[in-house]
């Protein structure tokens, strides 16, 4: 079945929303194949978000993503990549649809609680960034 990479971002962990976010994800039919808690350092965060290098929000994004631990997850579902993007909602929580993770929990465009891979190709790269084959059930 299809896989995607999700991250419960530092704002989610800091505000103790981990359980609620995981429950939401599981209740939408995703299986969790792998999960860990990591505290990214700046070099790791810059590498993960390399596509955004040079954008106005890049430095702030790196500060945020390194501000505390986050929880990367490998999720499985049919059409996992678009299905997960649908349940997280738009990047800006003010524009996110009802009953999406970002609508429910995000604080701002930056502190938006959760990451989801945006393509099949990126999902594979992002899964390999955080997890070895042995760690994925
Ligand atoms: P993600 O990649 O984290 O799932 P996304 O694909 O919805 O989010 P991207 O355009 O890839 O959005 O931006 C990556 C992250 O950078 C956003 O989730 C957000 O945390 C931050 N970000 C994006 N745009 C802005 C902005 N205009 N101002 C501040 N932060 C931003
Ligand atoms: Mg993105």
């Amino acid at each position: 079945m299809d896989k995607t990479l999700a991250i419960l971002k530092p704002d989610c962990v800091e505000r103790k929303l981990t359980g609620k976010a995981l429950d939401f994800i599981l209740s939408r039919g995703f299986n969790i194949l792998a999960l860990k808690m990591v505290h990214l350092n700046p070099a790791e965060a810059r590498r993960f978000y390399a596509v955004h290098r040079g954008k106005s929000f890049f430095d702030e994004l790196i500060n945020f993503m390194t501000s505390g631990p986050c929880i990367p997850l490998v999720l499985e579902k049919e059409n996992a990549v678009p299905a997960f993007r649908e349940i997280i909602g738009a990047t800006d929580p003010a524009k996110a649809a009802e009953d999406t993770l970002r609508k429910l929990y995000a604080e701002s465009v930056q502190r938006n609680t959760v990451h989801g891979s945006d393509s099949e190709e990126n999902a594979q790269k992002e899964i390999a960034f955080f997890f070895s084959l042995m760690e994925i059930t």
Side-chain angles (χ1 to χ4, degrees):
M1 224 193 301
D2 306 309
K3 296 181 181 66
T4 192
L5 188 280
I7 305 175
L8 306 186
K9 293 185 179 183
D11 68 298
C12 181
V13 176
E14 189 186 310
R15 290 182 292 141
K16 303 190 188 297
L17 295 170
T18 301
K20 288 191 170 75
L22 289 176
D23 190 46
F24 187 97
I25 291 165
L26 289 167
S27 74
R28 269 39 177 199
F30 290 85
N31 296 321
I32 298 173
L33 301 188
L35 171 157
K36 66 171 97 174
M37 183 175 268
V38 297
H39 193 152
L40 294 172
N41 67 34
E44 291 162 345
R46 277 192 220 103
R47 195 146 66 85
F48 184 79
Y49 276 122
V51 309
H52 297 306
R53 198 167 285 159
K55 292 187 186 163
S56 57
F57 59 82
F58 185 71
D59 290 349
E60 280 305 314
L61 174 61
I62 300 312
N63 284 342
F64 164 54
M65 289 302 293
T66 58
S67 65
C70 65
I71 301 178
L73 303 145
V74 179
L75 299 176
E76 175 190 63
K77 198 185 182 186
E78 215 141 289
N79 294 316
V81 169
F84 191 67
R85 294 288 297 194
E86 199 168 322
I87 72 155
I88 69 181
T91 310
D92 179 353
K95 297 180 184 146
E98 292 300 322
D99 202 35
T100 58
L101 275 168
R102 284 169 169 167
K103 178 73 177 189
L104 287 167
Y105 300 121
E107 290 188 312
S108 65
V109 176
Q110 180 189 81
R111 294 171 63 86
N112 62 5
T113 310
V114 62
H115 162 82
S117 304
D118 61 7
S119 69
E120 186 60 39
E121 187 191 349
N122 284 338
Q124 291 188 17
K125 282 188 200 157
E126 291 175 2
I127 289 169
F129 181 90
F130 284 110
F131 296 97
S132 72
L133 259 187
M134 209 188 79
E135 294 174 302
I136 302 169
T137 58

